[in-house]
Structures are given as C-alpha cells and as structure tokens.
Amino acid sequence: MGNPKQKWTAEEEEALRAGVAKHGTGKWKNIQKDPEFNPYLYSRSNIDLKDKWRNMSVSANGQDSPAATPTPSPMSQAPAGPSALPLLNPVSTDVHMDAAAASKSLLVDGKTASKYDAMIYEALSALKDPNGSDTSAIVSFIEKRHEVPQNVRRHISSRLRRLVSHEKLEKVQNCYRLRRLVVNGTKGPIPKPKEIRPRLSGPINSHLGETLEEAAVAAAYKVAEAENKSFVAAEAVKEAERVSRMAEEAEAFLQLAKEIYERCSRGEVVMLV
DNA sequence: TGTTGGGTTATAT
DNA sequence: ATATAACCCAACA
C-alpha cells in the first residue's frame, strides 16, 4: 500500500546521466550523494539509480540492424565519457528531442519477440535438461548461438514469463522446461529419457573437455533440429488426417450425387429432405 | 554497506 | 493482453 510508483522526471534522468558521466556506472551512492545531483536525486536510492540506468539502457538499445550500421551515425558514440554506455543525447539544452528520438524507441515487434521465443525453444530442446534450465543457462546458450544485444537477458526473462503464463513452458523453481504438448489423439509414449549427461566440469584436460563439450553441443543441436522436424512431421500427420477425413466426406457426397443423377436421368423425382 | 542480477508489480499502450 | 518502468529481494564483496 502507499506505493503509487513515482515516475522519473526528465530532471532526474538528466541528473542521473550527468552523474554517470561524472562518476561512472556503478557509483550509484556517490552519484546520489553528490551535492551537484542530490537536489534532484534525494528521493531516490542508490539502487533506484541502478535500476533506472538499467531501464534506460534497455530502452536506448535499438536492436534493429543486425550488422550494426557501419555508417558513422550522426550522433557521437560515447566519445568523451570514461565508461558511460547509453548516452543518447548530449545533455546540453535539451528542449527538443521528441521528434528525432521518438522514431527509434525500443520496439520489440512481433517478429523479434517470436525470434526470442524460437531461441528459447531451441535452447531448451538443446540443453535437454529434464528438470529444466534456468535463465542463465538459457541466456548463455542463446548468446553463444546467436548475435544478440547484451541486455537480451531482460527480454528473454520477460519472454520466459510470458511463455509460462501461456502454459507453453512450465517453471519449476528457477528452471524452465518445455511443456509436454499432446499432439492429436495418439498418446505420445514418453520419449524415453536415457539421461546420459557427460557433465564433466574438470578444468584439467581442458582440451579434452572442450572437444567433448563441442560434440555435446553439436549433438544437442542435432537433437533440437530433429525434434523440430518431428514436431513439423506431427503437424503434417494431423493435417493429413484432416484431409483424409475431408476426402471421405467428399467421397460420400460424390456417391450421393451420382445416385441422384442416375435417378433423375431415369425420370425419377428425387426429393432431398 | 553498496553493488548487482534476478525477479515481481504496477502502469501505459 | 503485453511491453515497459518502477520497485523488491537476496547474494556477494
């Protein structure tokens, strides 16, 4: 109760940006205490600053062009800052920024979203952990397999939550796993989990482990692929059954039509009731 | 104590 | 109904 969520004002955001420019990221308490910024940030805690910076970073990250436009973007790319990342607009006298900035807000369109979903499915099928995989495992798998923005974790966990709420995935404790989906009537016999996980984490003999791991990853990938295909196949079977049913019906109609035609041609009067 | 990542809740679209 | 912004919590140094 008593938690109306106070939104960040433009002044606060600017103070935070300036604070990060001055102290660097991670120095949240310093920024908050700094007399230069405190007047704006006194009502915010250091972790509020951290969270806000995280949110701003996510919003600033336009994950559109995959190959990162080599064309020198009009805006300078963090030139003077020591380690500041998401500086979109040089503070200066802001006033106008909506016109230009509005066009490139974070816009996770359906395509991107389902792309992430697909990656999640891929990761889960590949990792193939009967108990499910936690977000870290999923994200790191995805990061290895795809070129994704750094803060993709945020998106992934959001997607995970959504998939769970839609009962596409199930969550046990911190782990997510694929939900057993019942394709058509045929009771799917359990895929027979042989439960062979090499799982050697020995730092010694690294090259051996690495090879094995690579093999495991490759195998996992094949499995994922196969599963994908089998899913498609299952769908195809369903479709075939459907078509076949339709064919049967069509056949019946055809017979009926034939009979009607014959009778009519004999001069009979045929009534359909 | 402060930072951080993972997670949840409220809100705007 | 979903994506996002604000907020919370627990682990870690």
Side-chain angles (χ1 to χ4, degrees):
Chain A
M1 307 252 279
N3 237 359
K5 276 218 202 274
Q6 40 184 28
K7 298 209 64 177
W8 278 65
T9 67
E11 291 75 28
E12 287 174 317
E13 288 186 17
E14 184 164 334
L16 176 57
R17 270 194 280 265
V20 169
K22 179 173 179 179
H23 296 273
T25 61
K27 304 299 183 191
W28 311 115
K29 194 63 185 182
N30 289 356
I31 297 173
Q32 204 267 341
K33 280 191 310 183
D34 191 323
E36 189 178 346
F37 311 118
N38 192 322
Y40 301 97
L41 300 175
Y42 65 94
S43 66
R44 303 291 182 178
S45 74
N46 47 340
I47 65 180
D48 287 336
L49 302 197
K50 181 263 301 180
D51 287 329
K52 180 56 181 175
W53 188 254
R54 176 168 62 179
N55 286 337
M56 293 198 312
S57 302
V58 171
S59 307
N61 178 333
Q63 28 56 264
D64 43 1
S65 54
T69 46
T71 342
S73 59
M75 284 307 180
S76 55
Q77 188 84 322
S83 65
L85 316 158
L87 279 265
L88 341 186
N89 34 350
V91 185
S92 66
T93 51
D94 49 327
V95 182
H96 52 6
M97 56 82 103
D98 39 72
S103 63
K104 52 173 22 186
S105 62
L106 200 241
L107 183 67
V108 180
D109 53 320
K111 272 193 291 183
T112 309
S114 61
K115 216 170 58 183
Y116 286 151
D117 286 355
M119 292 179 187
I120 290 170
Y121 285 129
E122 181 197 351
L124 288 179
S125 325
L127 295 170
K128 216 174 177 43
D129 193 322
N131 294 324
S133 312
D134 63 2
T135 13
S136 300
I138 296 170
V139 168
S140 64
F141 179 91
I142 288 175
E143 281 172 344
K144 280 181 193 164
R145 284 261 146 233
H146 300 90
E147 283 300 323
V148 288
Q150 284 215 315
N151 47 32
V152 74
R153 176 178 213 109
R154 211 74 194 155
H155 294 296
I156 294 299
S157 64
S158 166
R159 285 267 115 197
L160 283 172
R161 268 167 37 75
R162 203 184 85 93
L163 289 171
V164 169
S165 77
H166 282 227
E167 298 185 324
K168 300 288 177 50
L169 298 181
E170 56 184 354
K171 181 183 185 183
V172 289
Q173 290 198 295
N174 285 332
C175 295
Y176 299 87
R177 72 181 185 199
L178 294 168
R179 211 159 224 283
R180 247 190 101 35
L181 51 102
V182 239
V183 195
N184 63 25
T186 51
K187 71 288 163 79
I190 296 157
K192 178 74 253 169
K194 207 58 191 290
E195 185 71 81
I196 311 174
R197 262 182 307 153
R199 180 167 286 291
L200 46 142
S201 50
I204 323 166
N205 290 344
S206 57
H207 70 284
L208 209 177
E210 219 171 294
T211 327
L212 265 184
E213 193 184 350
E214 274 179 29
V217 169
Y221 206 62
K222 293 274 201 241
V223 169
E225 218 174 301
E227 280 187 347
N228 215 5
K229 281 178 185 162
S230 81
F231 177 77
V232 172
E235 289 298 310
V237 168
K238 270 202 323 193
E239 177 67 8
E241 282 172 358
R242 202 173 67 83
V243 169
S244 125
R245 272 198 305 276
M246 286 176 66
E248 276 175 36
E249 286 171 21
E251 176 73 15
F253 272 111
L254 181 58
Q255 285 300 337
L256 181 59
K258 272 187 191 168
E259 188 165 337
I260 292 174
Y261 171 77
E262 275 183 32
R263 290 190 185 191
C264 284
S265 63
R266 277 188 229 118
E268 286 183 36
V269 177
V270 178
M271 307 261 291
L272 291 181
V273 232

